[in-house]
Amino acid sequence: MELEALVPRLVAAGVPDASIFVYAMPLSVTNGVLLLNGVGNVVPIDPELPGYFRGTFQVIVRCLRYQEGKALMDRILPALTVEGDAGSPVAGYQVNYIRPRHKPIVYPRSDADVLELSVSTDYNVVLL
């Protein structure tokens, strides 16, 4: 799944467009959201089901204070959660589901001297 397709959902949830990053976030950013392919995630291609994909991605929130990051993650996860394409379009995909797998994991201060909250997310989509 092309994670850029999820950016409009984040913007609609009130996340400033300038603070959303896909695949990489510079160390200089102290407040931002990163959508990243799941670590070790290989999305298999099934010749019997062309365009049908299952995989994972991570949602990472970088922040200076935990409460700010938690509040942002609390807005992001409902915006990204989809169960059965019920009026929740994602450009270029029929979405069967997008689901967070767990509550945010908080990582200690990084090289950027900030906290990072991370949630792994599973998806199942059909390419249109």
Side-chain angles (χ1 to χ4, degrees):
M1 176 176 200
E2 300 293 329
L3 298 179
E4 293 89 348
L6 298 172
V7 171
R9 297 178 68 84
L10 297 179
V11 173
V15 179
D17 193 30
S19 69
I20 302 170
F21 298 87
V22 180
Y23 307 121
M25 182 168 27
L27 284 176
S28 59
V29 174
T30 57
N31 288 295
V33 176
L34 172 63
L35 300 178
L36 183 64
N37 286 325
V39 176
N41 180 41
V42 175
V43 179
I45 298 171
D46 185 342
E48 301 296 321
L49 297 168
Y52 179 87
F53 301 104
R54 272 188 327 186
T56 65
F57 65 90
Q58 284 181 277
V59 179
I60 300 169
V61 170
R62 187 180 290 169
C63 56
L64 294 171
R65 288 179 285 290
Y66 171 76
Q67 291 302 333
E68 292 173 2
K70 183 179 180 319
L72 184 54
M73 192 66 90
D74 286 347
R75 283 200 326 257
I76 291 169
L77 293 180
L80 292 180
T81 300
V82 177
E83 287 290 338
D85 208 8
S88 301
V90 174
Y93 297 94
Q94 171 194 323
V95 177
N96 296 321
Y97 63 79
I98 300 174
R99 299 180 188 129
R101 191 183 295 170
H102 53 79
K103 293 287 196 179
I105 299 169
V106 181
Y107 291 94
R109 297 207 174 261
S110 65
D111 291 341
D113 198 31
V114 293
L115 294 174
E116 292 186 345
L117 289 76
S118 176
V119 173
S120 297
T121 306
D122 296 319
Y123 68 85
N124 182 293
V125 298
V126 179
L127 186 62
L128 297 177

